[in-house]
């Protein structure tokens, strides 16, 4: 059996899942491009492949048309909007995710982006390293009103962490768990209400199926000059051009993001802004999360083929 592994961090710290697959006589093929593969690159990689351990690479209808032997896509992560699910289903290709494996890592990172953006940590670090002893006055995270858009596993862990900062939590989820919100003191509001009331807005929701942004000019206009937006979810949730204009004109305070349109490339207009904190889709990249995702991605393939560990 041939397995294509597109994620560059797979098995980085724990070789046992890879060794297990090799012991079964499977042929393992890595990502020869060493970056997130686009549609054309993936089309060239999938022929003859039985299983894919998939990062954020594109698996479109065109890619699946070239996948002549593919039986399972084991997503190394939880986001599946890079996969044409309808076409996969039509071809009887199983799609699995590594559920909850990176939840703690992403939640930690989201709060880290909040702190970095409110207190300008990246700016003062850069200044000091260049020889400039220049202080910057920021905002406290403590006691802020934080709007959490998306109350799934990651959003809930963010809420848990923010309780330590005595934050007031406003929440929205398309599939709302009212009992959870009540038990955790979350004030349920619509996204529009949250945009107008929250000091910090953190996104933990999937992108819209049609690709339209959740936050554009209209939504940004609801926010105040001290509003901070955090995005560790999907770039498509935000209209980047509208956001950049708001940041440039200081209509909102700042933006901390781990996701971008057109990754691995980013909008060069971000580079001129001093009120943003940018990172290269690394929120889920911790040693612990990588080990969990690696093991789970392989387990999903073993389960699909009915292989029990140790046999």
């Amino acid at each position: 059996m041939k397995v294509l592994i597109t994620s560059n961090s797979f098995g980085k710290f724990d070789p046992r899942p890879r060794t297990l697959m090799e012991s079964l006589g499977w042929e393992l093929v890595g990502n020869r491009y060493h970056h997130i593969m686009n549609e054309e690159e993936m089309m060239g990689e999938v022929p003859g492949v039985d299983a894919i351990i998939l990062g954020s690479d594109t698996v479109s209808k065109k890619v699946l048309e070239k996948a002549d032997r593919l039986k399972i896509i084991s997503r190394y992560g939880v986001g599946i909007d890079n996969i044409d699910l309808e076409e996969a289903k039509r071809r009887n290709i199983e799609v699995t995710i590594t559920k909850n494996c990176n939840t703690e890592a992403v939640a930690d990172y989201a709060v880290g982006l909040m702190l970095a953006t409110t207190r300008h940590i990246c700016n003062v670090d850069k200044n000091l390293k260049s020889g400039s002893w220049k202080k910057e006055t920021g905002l406290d995270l403590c006691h802020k009103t934080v709007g959490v858009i998306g109350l799934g596993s990651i959003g809930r862990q963010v809420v848990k962490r923010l309780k330590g900062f005595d934050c007031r939590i406003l929440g929205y989820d398309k599939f709302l768990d009212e009992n959870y919100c009540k038990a955790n003191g979350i004030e349920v509001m619509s996204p529009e209400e949250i945009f107008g009331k929250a000091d910090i807005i953190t996104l933990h929701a999937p992108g819209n199926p049609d690709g339209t942004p959740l936050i554009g000019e209209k939504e940004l206009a609801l926010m105040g000059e001290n509003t901070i937006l955090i995005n560790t979810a999907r770039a498509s949730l935000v209209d980047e051009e509208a956001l950049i204009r708001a940041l440039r004109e200081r209509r909102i305070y700042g933006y901390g993001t781990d996701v971008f349109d057109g990754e691995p490339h980013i909008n060069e207009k971000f580079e001129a802004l001093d009120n943003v904190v940018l990172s290269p889709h690394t929120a889920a990249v911790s040693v612990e999360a990588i080990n969990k995702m690696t093991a789970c991605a392989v387990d999903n393939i073993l389960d699909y083929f009915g292989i029990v560990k140790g046999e």
Side-chain angles (χ1 to χ4, degrees):
M1 190 170 78
K2 187 175 181 180
V3 181
L4 172 64
I5 303 170
T6 73
S7 170
N8 291 307
S9 67
F10 174 87
K12 187 175 181 180
F13 303 105
D14 184 358
R16 289 175 296 178
R18 184 186 294 272
T19 300
L20 173 59
M21 288 191 290
E22 291 173 338
S23 72
L24 294 170
W26 295 359
E27 178 188 357
L28 308 185
V29 180
N31 182 342
R32 62 193 176 99
Y33 295 99
H34 303 293
H35 62 232
I36 297 171
M37 286 187 273
N38 59 32
E39 181 179 67
E40 184 178 352
E41 290 165 341
M42 282 293 289
M43 286 172 66
E45 298 301 300
V46 296
V49 167
D50 298 283
I52 303 174
I53 294 177
L54 182 73
S56 299
D57 317 81
T58 300
V59 180
S60 63
K61 181 178 180 179
K62 288 184 178 180
V63 172
L64 291 172
E65 287 173 347
K66 296 290 185 180
D68 53 343
R69 285 172 45 186
L70 187 61
K71 301 172 185 67
I72 179 173
I73 300 170
S74 179
R75 177 71 170 92
Y76 182 79
V78 294
I80 51 177
D81 48 359
N82 56 323
I83 305 170
D84 188 328
L85 295 175
E86 185 176 334
E87 183 65 16
K89 183 178 181 180
R90 193 180 75 80
R91 294 174 177 273
N92 294 317
I93 298 171
E94 183 83 1
V95 177
T96 62
I97 61 173
T98 53
K99 188 176 181 180
N100 295 332
C101 290
N102 61 16
T103 297
E104 303 280 0
V106 177
D108 286 352
Y109 203 88
V111 176
L113 282 176
M114 292 179 200
L115 291 166
T117 308
T118 56
R119 298 303 304 272
H120 311 293
I121 291 173
C122 295
N123 289 351
V124 294
D125 173 76
K126 180 180 178 181
N127 291 337
L128 200 56
K129 287 176 178 175
S130 65
S132 175
W133 186 278
K134 181 182 178 182
K135 298 182 181 182
E136 290 199 22
T137 303
L139 302 171
D140 288 340
L141 174 55
C142 195
H143 306 304
K144 287 293 184 289
T145 297
V146 181
V148 182
I149 307 292
L151 293 167
S153 57
I154 295 173
R156 293 185 182 199
Q157 287 298 321
V158 171
V159 169
K160 180 179 178 181
R161 286 153 175 75
L162 290 175
K163 286 184 177 182
F165 290 89
D166 290 328
C167 291
R168 174 191 176 197
I169 306 297
L170 315 180
Y172 168 81
D173 195 282
K174 187 176 180 180
F175 305 102
L176 190 68
D177 184 337
E178 294 183 3
N179 291 332
Y180 163 77
C181 292
K182 184 176 180 180
N184 287 274
I186 298 170
E187 300 174 48
V188 178
M189 295 184 181
S190 69
E192 290 73 20
E193 290 175 309
I194 290 174
F195 299 150
K197 295 178 181 293
D199 302 305
I200 298 169
I201 299 157
T202 182
L203 304 178
H204 303 286
N208 290 324
D210 61 0
T212 57
L214 174 68
I215 298 175
E217 289 281 7
K218 179 182 176 182
E219 291 74 23
L220 288 163
L222 298 173
M223 303 177 193
E225 62 181 11
N226 283 331
T227 303
I228 289 169
L229 182 61
I230 303 296
N231 191 1
T232 56
R234 289 290 178 269
S236 63
L237 289 168
V238 180
D239 181 336
E240 283 191 354
E241 290 294 338
L243 175 65
I244 288 169
R245 286 193 293 272
L247 289 163
R248 185 188 296 135
E249 296 165 11
R250 306 286 175 174
R251 286 187 275 124
I252 67 171
Y253 192 85
Y255 182 51
T257 187
D258 189 50
V259 289
F260 304 89
D261 285 336
E263 294 180 14
H265 307 290
I266 73 168
N267 192 321
E268 62 183 14
K269 296 176 184 176
F270 278 122
E271 298 173 12
L273 301 174
D274 63 358
N275 52 351
V276 298
V277 178
L278 314 176
S279 64
H281 210 135
T282 194
V285 185
S286 72
V287 171
E288 294 86 350
I290 287 171
N291 287 345
K292 289 176 185 177
M293 288 193 294
T294 295
C296 186
V298 173
D299 285 347
N300 287 339
I301 296 176
L302 295 176
D303 289 343
Y304 176 81
F305 288 107
I307 299 171
V308 179
K309 285 183 179 181
E311 287 192 349

